[in-house]
Amino acid sequence: MQLNELFRDGFFVSSIELAIADRLLAEAKADVFIPDKPGSPDIAEWEADNPSLNNRVPPAYLAAMEQMGLGEATKHIRSHMGDWSRTNCMLQRGKRGDSMVWHHDSYDPMHLICMLYLSEDVWTPEDGGMLQLGEGDIDQHGFLRDPQSVAIKASVSPNHGTLVWAINTNPRFVHRVTEIASDKVRYTMVGQFGYRENVMRTRVAEKYGSNWR
């Protein structure tokens, strides 16, 4: 992982082996999805509303995400902090009309996240569905002051096997998904990596109960 880019910009774009991406795409296509909010990607049936209670992740997904989290990309971070004690995985299916506004995954602070894109189609900027990564000013509660003033640092098309790593402990680093303007379908596996002793946690037991993981 290019640590200078990661800590300067909040993200780093890479990819995974095609054979692994193909295997995960086959799993995703056979999975069951349910609608989320109107205009948002569908979510996997096994995904919990509360990520800390997401205990039904299929082994094929979780094993792949754990391997990514323990790979060369995170070796430097883990050499200082130790191997992750928390790994979570979510799965989304994006279709025409879906999008996501600027946000930071603050609902359950994890140190590092990744977004893996899986699709049979080749995506171009004209298709929409682009992951945009940016930086914005935040208020005292960590929320964006003005989403319109976010400085966009990169726009990434969701092509098969593309993997984007992002720091998740700085709420200034945000991301969004532009509206999908084609009939192409894309799947997104979201990995989250952290520690039980997360220094960013705020009233975790109060929010999630004494058995949060």
Side-chain angles (χ1 to χ4, degrees), residues 97-114:
D98 289 345
S99 65
M100 298 183 75
V101 300
W102 288 116
H103 66 283
H104 169 260
D105 294 344
S106 59
Y107 48 74
D108 184 16
M110 294 286 234
H111 288 75
L112 193 69
I113 63 173
C114 70

Side-chain angles (χ1 to χ4, degrees), residues 140-185:
Q140 61 181 340
H141 302 293
F143 296 106
L144 282 175
R145 293 184 182 275
D146 180 12
Q148 301 301 318
S149 65
V150 172
I152 299 175
K153 295 190 172 184
S155 295
V156 182
S157 291
N159 280 302
H160 190 50
T162 299
L163 179 64
V164 181
W165 293 95
I167 286 182
N168 197 46
T169 51
N170 184 344
R172 286 179 55 85
F173 294 140
V174 291
H175 51 275
R176 71 176 177 185
V177 177
T178 64
E179 183 174 339
I180 297 177
S182 74
D183 291 321
K184 298 176 181 179
V185 177

Side-chain angles (χ1 to χ4, degrees), residues 41 90-94 114-118 158 186-190:
M90 300 182 291
L91 181 65
Q92 303 168 348
R93 180 177 63 188
C114 70
M115 290 156 280
L116 172 64
Y117 294 102
L118 307 167
R186 67 118 191 243
Y187 299 88
T188 309
M189 283 182 62
V190 180

Side-chain angles (χ1 to χ4, degrees), residues 1-173:
M1 180 178 291
Q2 301 296 321
L3 292 177
N4 284 328
E5 294 181 34
L6 180 68
F7 288 101
R8 181 192 65 215
D9 301 326
F11 68 91
F12 176 69
V13 182
S14 61
S15 62
I16 66 170
E17 295 179 16
L18 183 58
I20 298 175
D22 289 346
R23 185 172 71 248
L24 292 171
L25 175 59
E27 293 280 352
K29 289 174 61 179
D31 216 325
V32 176
F33 291 83
I34 58 177
D36 196 11
K37 299 183 296 291
S40 297
D42 300 332
I43 60 175
E45 180 274 336
W46 45 262
E47 187 175 315
D49 290 337
N50 182 339
S52 285
L53 301 177
N54 194 21
N55 300 316
R56 298 176 54 224
V57 183
Y61 300 136
L62 188 58
M65 198 57 67
E66 288 176 339
Q67 286 299 307
M68 282 186 268
L70 295 175
E72 285 296 315
T74 68
K75 184 176 181 179
H76 182 84
I77 295 174
R78 291 183 291 107
S79 71
H80 291 279
M81 301 288 290
D83 287 343
W84 312 110
S85 60
R86 304 176 65 204
T87 299
N88 184 36
C89 181
M90 300 182 291
L91 181 65
Q92 303 168 348
R93 180 177 63 188
K95 58 193 182 303
R96 179 183 283 275
D98 289 345
S99 65
M100 298 183 75
V101 300
W102 288 116
H103 66 283
H104 169 260
D105 294 344
S106 59
Y107 48 74
D108 184 16
M110 294 286 234
H111 288 75
L112 193 69
I113 63 173
C114 70
M115 290 156 280
L116 172 64
Y117 294 102
L118 307 167
S119 179
E120 291 181 328
D121 301 299
V122 175
W123 289 73
T124 66
E126 292 72 28
D127 294 318
M130 299 189 72
L131 173 69
Q132 293 189 323
L133 302 118
E135 184 175 5
D137 290 328
I138 57 175
D139 62 21
Q140 61 181 340
H141 302 293
F143 296 106
L144 282 175
R145 293 184 182 275
D146 180 12
Q148 301 301 318
S149 65
V150 172
I152 299 175
K153 295 190 172 184
S155 295
V156 182
S157 291
N159 280 302
H160 190 50
T162 299
L163 179 64
V164 181
W165 293 95
I167 286 182
N168 197 46
T169 51
N170 184 344
R172 286 179 55 85
F173 294 140

